Amino acid sequence: MKRMIYDGDPGIDDALAIILAIKSGEFDLEAVTTVAGNVSLEKATKNALRILRLTGRLNIPVAAGIPSPFGRGLERAEYVHGDNGLGGTSLPLPGVEDKCIGALDLIIAKIMKKPGEITLVACGPLTNLAEIYMKEPRIGENVRELIIMGGAVQVPGNVTPHAEFNIYTDPESAQIILRSDLPLTIVPLDVTMKTIFTVYDLEQIYEVRTPVAEFAYNALRYYQNIPKHKKLGGCPLHDPLAVGVAIDESFVKTKELYVNVVTDNIITLGKTLVGEKNTGELEVCASKHKVCLEVDARRFIRFFIDTITAD
Ligand code: BDR
Ligand code: CA
């Protein structure tokens, strides 16, 4: 079986992404590591534990990473995910928090121990990943692939007109990763904003009476009803799509591009820069990455519903 480490900031869509990874049965989920983003590191870590308890998978290690972005304060997104980060749902917290230390060492150890086997899916700010890469650059040759949810290439941002949340929150760390020669697939807003989970989709989950489906129903209903999603007629499945791409790359079409990010302009901070040649602002890029630009959204949403509602 393929192996995955999920690094994220749960977060409603992170929670659903973790559930998708587990319930797909496609991956041995080797660890869930957390980073400050949508909510504080402490809340993100507790939420990861809540999700593993919900899925009956507390055997999967949870490890906390870095509590704030590189040289910046954290601009959280509780206005999107609710105060507790899980849309006001009240899942019990298992009593194993004191084990939650050391995400960086855990990720490095797991990748280096199983060269070429671990898919690392990162769906929060790239703070942990940049730190890991600086500490142990050989992860580049030893990770199977690295899939990140982040950026906005040909579409507007979702936190400023220019920038997407995960990149905007820690642009310096994002820049380290995007300019690197790590084997990256980037899942930007260009595709995630097309995976709109509608009220009709939600009805199909309502009929299912498992604890996971009940949580998904309540969290997705909350997520659909925040003002910016109401206007869209549903909520985007950002982080679940990144896991979807890890499971089946045919959900998307990719293009090989050089990628960089603006870090030094207050107006365009966090803007994704792409090009086919590494000239100008992209001159500093070590290699091209796979950038997802098209998605079979309905096929992915069908897969998402079927997987999270399965017994
Ligand atoms: C990303 O930002 C967060 O709010 C979501 O969890 C997702 O990772 C979308 O821009
Ligand atoms: Ca996230």
Side-chain angles (χ1 to χ4, degrees), residues 6-15 17 35 37-38 81 122-125 149 164-166 223 238-239:
Y6 184 92
D7 182 75
D9 56 343
I12 295 173
D13 59 331
D14 293 82
V35 64
N38 289 320
H81 298 267
C123 293
M149 190 279 129
E164 180 279 332
F165 178 83
N166 289 338
Y223 206 37
H238 301 294
D239 298 343

